[in-house]
Amino acid sequence: MTLPIRNVAIIAHVDHGKTTLVDALLKQSGVFREGEEVPDCIMDSNDLERERGITILSKNTAVRYGETLINIVDTPGHADFGGEVERVLGMVDGCILIVDANEGPMPQTRFVLKKALEKGLRPIVVVNKIDRPRADPHSAVDKVLDLFLELGADDDQCDFPYLFASGLGGFARETLESDNADMRPLFEAILRHVPPPVGDPEKPLQLQVTTLDYSEYLGRIVIGKIHNGSIRVGQQAALITESGAVVKGKVTKLMGFEGLNRIDIESATAGNLVAVAGFSDANIGETITCPDNPQALPLIKVDEPTLQMTFSVNDSPFAGQEGNFVTSRQVRDRLMRELETNVALRVEETDSPDKFAVSGRGELHLGILIETMRREGYEFQVSQPQVIYREVGGQPCEPYECLVLDVPEEAVGGCIERLGQRRGEMQDMQVAGNGRSQLEFVIPARGLIGFRGEFMRLTRGEGIMNHSFLDYRPLSGDIETRRNGVLISFEEGVATFYALKNAEDRGSFFITPGTKVYKGMIVGEHNRPQDLELNVCKTKQLTNHRAASGDELVQLQSPVEMSLERALEYIGPDELLEVTPESIRLRKLPAKKLAKR
């Protein structure tokens, strides 16, 4: 591990091609043997990442280019996973900012770039997807420069190097006129513009924990960058905890990175990214150091959560029928375990032993946690997400978001009207030549709760919506979030075709015939603002008379499919979402519980 080193992070807005570009770098660097089957999005190993096509967890890999070892960290693009971005930027000495040649900078581009500039990094800008129709690479570069200036970048940062590339095509070019067909220009740009790591191998050891992993054989594994000193297998070291306590330990195993694999190494020096076993109580942000001269590095600070929801034990009539982990102790232990690796999450106990206040960056951040837990066999219920208010300068404030919509022109008026009712203020509007418009708003975070479903209806499913946290501002007034009432089952049983068909004119259903229901369970949306209780288990009275229309094929309207994200946005303040490994059910809060809220 004595090669020259470059540590670089890949940052971008969600879906601008970070992971695909890393794939191209890995393939060209010779990580894979000839003829080896290589999947797409190699770095997205998590099932949820592959299903959703987004990066959730930051991951690092290492490639060799010539005589240089390049450590590459792939980061999430969604602002809800900003905690991952913030801690990873402390591991690297440079970054590559990827921008879509067609879309240009987007809300999360602003978010990740702001974090990089605050760390003093000088990004290399890669304008990606230049081979797509309607791509405008030069315009994208101009917009990126405007964003640098807007975020207060210094002169050196504003004089950024830029390249044109296609991650899918596997090439990078210094000019659009070039016909280069590989990623060599990007490798060369990394060597030229990313400085080697700063650190003194002769100083006492300082390694900051930025990621945690677990092995059944080794226990907890900490991953981080050696800021100073050197580390070797078998040496005595000390962990400085968040509270300042010094806990002595021993390095039982030391690993470096080579391609997608971890390789056993005997020692490493300042500047390297390594994985270390032997510190079972280490947490993110803490420092592994020399026991004779313990010196802590500054703790990693991440932005505070902006959204909170209540996780509680499932107490519906179907409780305990589908999950493996259903008790409050099991749910609590799982949430506390999540805190060890999810730095942007907060979990607080409430006055009830069965309820926990869980705070995160946004609906997606909390939704991924809920989906992960249900796949692990947990059964629980959650409340409607609520924004977290803060006092700034003695004044009550709420979180605001920067919202960008890409919509068909015919939907522009409806979107502006609805966001106006939700206290959104339009900042910019651009009309593209393809029948679409891009709208930019600043809006309170609570104005976005429940808006996505309405947005999909307004744009008939053709709209694209992106938002990221902006800052805390003084409270705005009341927000009108108009939603129709719900259809509620008033008895337990099995929904029948006959009952659903007869009630079709009352609204749209979330269930199909054969679905088990219980009293208080929400089965659909009413056509009117009021809630309506229905008997969806009613069966047809059988007679010996044959109906004249008996041979006609009768069909039900297609039910509204309630995914986890859609259900989280849909539920109201007096409603709960029941989550099990097999089902997602909406229900009304029992009357006695509603009175307490």
Side-chain angles (χ1 to χ4, degrees), residues 134 405-410 412 429-439 455 459 461-465:
R134 295 193 299 275
L405 307 180
D406 187 326
V407 299
E409 285 181 8
E410 60 269 19
V412 168
M429 175 176 173
Q430 294 182 0
V431 180
N434 57 354
R436 297 182 72 85
S437 297
Q438 193 176 80
L439 313 175
F455 174 68
T459 61
E462 295 180 20
I464 301 170
M465 170 177 161

Side-chain angles (χ1 to χ4, degrees), residues 413-535:
C415 290
I416 293 174
E417 180 187 357
R418 291 304 296 132
L419 287 169
Q421 293 167 348
R422 290 170 173 263
R423 301 282 174 176
E425 295 181 6
M426 191 162 73
Q427 306 295 304
D428 190 25
M429 175 176 173
Q430 294 182 0
V431 180
N434 57 354
R436 297 182 72 85
S437 297
Q438 193 176 80
L439 313 175
E440 184 177 333
F441 291 83
V442 170
I443 184 169
R446 62 193 167 105
L448 287 176
I449 294 176
F451 176 66
R452 191 177 293 271
E454 194 172 354
F455 174 68
M456 286 299 163
R457 286 194 293 273
L458 286 169
T459 61
R460 298 184 179 179
E462 295 180 20
I464 301 170
M465 170 177 161
N466 290 292
H467 58 93
S468 65
F469 172 71
L470 192 59
D471 54 19
Y472 269 83
R473 297 185 179 182
L475 283 172
S476 60
D478 292 337
I479 289 179
E480 179 192 336
T481 53
R482 187 172 59 220
R483 189 198 80 174
N484 286 349
V486 291
L487 302 174
I488 306 166
S489 169
F490 68 63
E491 70 174 16
E492 186 173 327
V494 177
T496 64
F497 178 93
Y498 175 75
L500 295 180
K501 186 63 186 173
N502 281 346
E504 255 187 348
D505 59 337
R506 301 296 183 92
S508 52
F509 285 100
F510 304 153
I511 61 170
T512 56
T515 303
K516 289 183 178 180
V517 298
Y518 54 78
K519 181 178 174 63
M521 179 172 157
I522 296 171
V523 295
E525 182 176 291
H526 194 195
N527 286 334
R528 299 185 177 182
Q530 304 84 17
D531 293 345
L532 178 68
E533 290 193 334
L534 290 173
N535 182 359

Side-chain angles (χ1 to χ4, degrees), residues 37-100:
E37 186 177 340
V38 181
D40 293 330
C41 295
I42 305 156
M43 298 287 280
D44 285 347
S45 53
N46 180 301
D47 286 344
L48 279 173
E49 292 178 318
R50 288 196 172 279
E51 288 171 22
R52 294 164 184 258
I54 60 172
T55 300
I56 296 169
L57 303 170
S58 61
K59 301 169 202 69
N60 41 308
T61 183
V63 299
R64 294 191 184 201
Y65 182 72
E67 294 302 311
T68 305
L69 181 73
I70 303 176
N71 289 305
I72 301 171
V73 187
D74 185 18
T75 65
H78 201 289
D80 278 21
F81 307 109
E84 292 281 319
V85 178
E86 286 160 287
R87 73 183 187 203
V88 158
L89 290 177
M91 296 170 65
V92 298
D93 307 289
C95 64
I96 297 171
L97 175 68
I98 299 176
V99 179
D100 189 301

Side-chain angles (χ1 to χ4, degrees), residues 224-268:
K225 177 185 177 182
I226 305 172
H227 288 259
N228 285 303
S230 59
I231 190 169
R232 68 179 186 280
V233 177
Q235 85 171 64
Q236 297 296 318
L239 173 73
I240 304 178
T241 66
E242 190 173 350
S243 64
V246 178
V247 182
K248 293 190 176 180
K250 180 181 177 182
V251 178
T252 57
K253 197 173 186 70
L254 184 64
M255 293 166 281
F257 298 93
E258 187 75 54
L260 298 175
N261 303 316
R262 291 180 192 160
I263 55 171
D264 291 348
I265 56 176
E266 288 300 312
S267 63

